[in-house]
Amino acid sequence: MAEQNADVPHIADAPQEWPVTATAMPFRGAKTSIRTDDVRMPDGTTARRDYQVHPGSVAVVALDERERVLVLSQYRHPVRRKLWEIPAGLLDVPGENPLHAAQRELYEEAHVKAEDWRVLVDVYTTPGGCDEAVRIFLARQISTADRPRFEVTGEEAEMEQARVPLPQLVRAVLGGELNNNSLAVGTLALTAALAGEGLDALRPADAPWPARPFED
């Protein structure tokens, strides 16, 4: 890892929890819910915070031997758009190892497997209004999955698939043509890793994830 400049302070997110004096769950959905907390502020006042409770997600930047990224096009009803995305999905099983979930999503959505896995980046999507945490993996040495193709339904049945050179994706993200969160963060993080210490310096696939602790 690069040496830290002595003139620049080291910064890192830190756990902290302000007291909750009351809580309610006005809406419970099949995958996510809405929670209302009354939070005691440092000045002694109480503020009400409404936010979405989310199980967490994984996403995969799958890079082929020609340094192209595998992307999928899927209709997203809340934004009324068909978005190009990277394979991704929910952490449906509490305590599930995120690597196993990512491998499952890559197979189910793209019918692809990978031999080399690294953690690319961890993010909170919208921490002001949702507790969703996403772990984005880098998958290399990809090939067609051995198992039969997974049968998809709903929006996933209409997905298109493409493999696009990384620089082309980055230009489209910066140009406002691609807006999916995980695709944007993943491709920009991959570009930064390539320009920095290289892909082998990325964290191992089983690196701890404090936002969503998991079993081995």
Side-chain angles (χ1 to χ4, degrees):
M1 183 172 291
E3 184 177 348
Q4 178 73 35
N5 188 324
D7 296 329
V8 179
H10 175 75
I11 63 170
D13 297 338
Q16 187 174 112
E17 188 169 352
W18 293 355
V20 175
T21 60
T23 187
M25 196 82 76
F27 171 78
R28 294 179 184 270
K31 299 294 184 181
T32 67
S33 301
I34 300 298
R35 175 173 289 158
T36 297
D37 288 343
D38 290 341
V39 184
R40 182 68 55 82
M41 299 288 112
D43 63 2
T45 62
T46 299
R48 179 157 292 179
R49 295 289 180 261
D50 301 318
Y51 59 99
Q52 182 184 19
V53 179
H54 194 286
S57 306
V58 291
V60 184
V61 175
L63 193 65
D64 71 11
E65 72 283 355
R66 294 169 56 186
E67 297 192 345
R68 300 175 302 174
V69 176
L70 189 156
V71 291
L72 307 165
S73 179
Q74 185 170 354
Y75 175 66
R76 294 300 189 183
H77 185 70
V79 295
R80 307 301 198 273
R81 291 182 183 279
K82 196 169 186 181
L83 302 180
W84 283 99
E85 308 175 348
I86 54 178
L90 298 176
L91 290 169
D92 294 311
V93 181
E96 181 181 19
N97 188 311
L99 173 60
H100 299 165
Q103 291 170 332
R104 181 184 66 241
E105 293 299 333
L106 185 60
Y107 157 66
E108 290 182 357
E109 294 193 346
H111 198 230
V112 165
K113 64 178 182 178
E115 300 301 323
D116 185 88
W117 290 82
R118 308 287 173 124
V119 174
L120 185 55
V121 64
D122 297 327
V123 295
Y124 290 109
T125 55
T126 49
C130 179
D131 71 352
E132 181 184 13
V134 181
R135 168 158 281 189
I136 303 176
F137 289 90
L138 171 66
R140 292 184 291 174
Q141 299 176 33
I142 65 174
S143 60
T144 302
D146 300 324
R147 294 177 285 173
R149 185 174 292 276
F150 183 79
E151 185 175 349
V152 295
T153 59
E155 293 95 333
E156 293 184 349
E158 301 299 321
M159 287 194 302
E160 302 173 60
Q161 185 177 142
R163 297 190 182 189
V164 183
L166 178 61
Q168 182 178 335
L169 289 177
V170 171
R171 287 194 298 271
V173 168
L174 298 180
E177 297 175 315
L178 296 174
N179 305 118
N180 175 263
N181 183 293
S182 293
L183 183 149
V185 172
T187 54
L188 294 176
L190 177 56
T191 301
L194 288 168
E197 298 176 20
L199 303 185
D200 290 336
L202 292 170
R203 286 173 291 162
D206 61 353
W209 189 16
R212 292 293 185 276
F214 58 90
E215 302 171 2
D216 293 335

